[in-house]
Amino acid sequence: MFHHFLAYAAFHASRWLPRAQRLRFQVILVTFAVVVVTPQLYVLTRPRSSRYCQQPLLNNLIAFIILSFMATGFAVALSLLDPVPESFRVAFHLFGVVSFTQGLCTTLLTLQAADCAWTTTELYYLSLVLSWACILSAVFYLVRGCLWVISKLWPNWVKDMRLWNNV
């Protein structure tokens, strides 16, 4: 869910700015995307990363890089579109499902690849960092989903200040 989270955060951050200042934000967004993709590309080009590892961490990294570029595209497009068309929302949420699947695969492969820390050190540790990023973003969406369910079951629970004054 890391890639979906990045595009989601960029979308909401762009909505805080007036439309006239969103071009500056997009320059910052592309710079941030370069900062996120650069370590991935660096590890991919390292000769040590192509050594044998019993888990396909290198293939997983390639898929992760592809999704990073897709997330950058979604982030830029979402900051440009106002309002966002329904078909684009559906595509973005389908991208979220793919991103969740990729994060799950990254985490499971990293858990099973402890021996790869000796043969492909950079690849293993990058995979470990990306796994934690996926886990933390999944926790964010889990908390957000729970708050959404609470708001649907008890609509005025958060908004009603009388509940908070009695505490």
Side-chain angles (χ1 to χ4, degrees):
M1 303 268 340
F2 178 65
H3 297 103
H4 190 266
F5 173 74
L6 289 179
Y8 176 81
F11 169 69
H12 284 287
S14 72
R15 295 302 183 237
W16 291 343
L17 300 172
R19 286 186 186 173
Q21 293 182 355
R22 288 189 188 165
L23 181 62
R24 293 179 192 165
F25 178 75
Q26 289 171 353
V27 171
I28 293 170
L29 184 65
V30 170
T31 305
F32 180 73
V34 168
V35 168
V36 169
V37 172
T38 300
Q40 297 174 31
L41 291 174
Y42 173 75
V43 170
L44 181 67
T45 59
R46 299 282 302 157
R48 194 169 179 184
S49 296
S50 62
R51 288 186 182 169
Y52 175 74
C53 177
Q54 64 193 29
Q55 298 299 323
L57 293 180
L58 189 61
N59 297 340
N60 188 51
L61 178 63
I62 292 169
F64 211 89
I65 291 170
I66 291 169
L67 287 179
S68 295
F69 283 118
M70 289 175 66
T72 303
F74 270 114
V76 170
L78 286 170
S79 65
L80 283 174
L81 296 174
D82 196 19
V84 179
E86 187 67 29
S87 60
F88 199 81
R89 286 184 192 180
V90 170
F92 181 63
H93 290 303
L94 288 176
F95 174 72
V97 172
V98 171
S99 177
F100 174 74
T101 306
Q102 173 63 28
L104 189 63
C105 289
T106 301
T107 304
L108 292 176
L109 288 174
T110 305
L111 283 174
Q112 296 174 354
D115 296 337
C116 296
W118 300 106
T119 57
T120 57
T121 308
E122 296 95 353
L123 182 61
Y124 175 74
Y125 285 116
L126 178 67
S127 184
L128 193 63
V129 168
L130 296 176
S131 296
W132 276 107
C134 292
I135 290 169
L136 291 176
S137 60
V139 167
F140 167 78
Y141 281 113
L142 181 69
V143 169
R144 188 172 177 269
C146 290
L147 290 174
W148 179 78
V149 168
I150 288 171
S151 72
K152 292 298 178 188
L153 293 176
W154 300 287
N156 294 326
W157 186 69
V158 175
K159 296 179 200 172
D160 194 3
M161 292 306 292
R162 289 176 287 153
L163 294 172
W164 294 99
N165 289 336
N166 293 334
V167 173

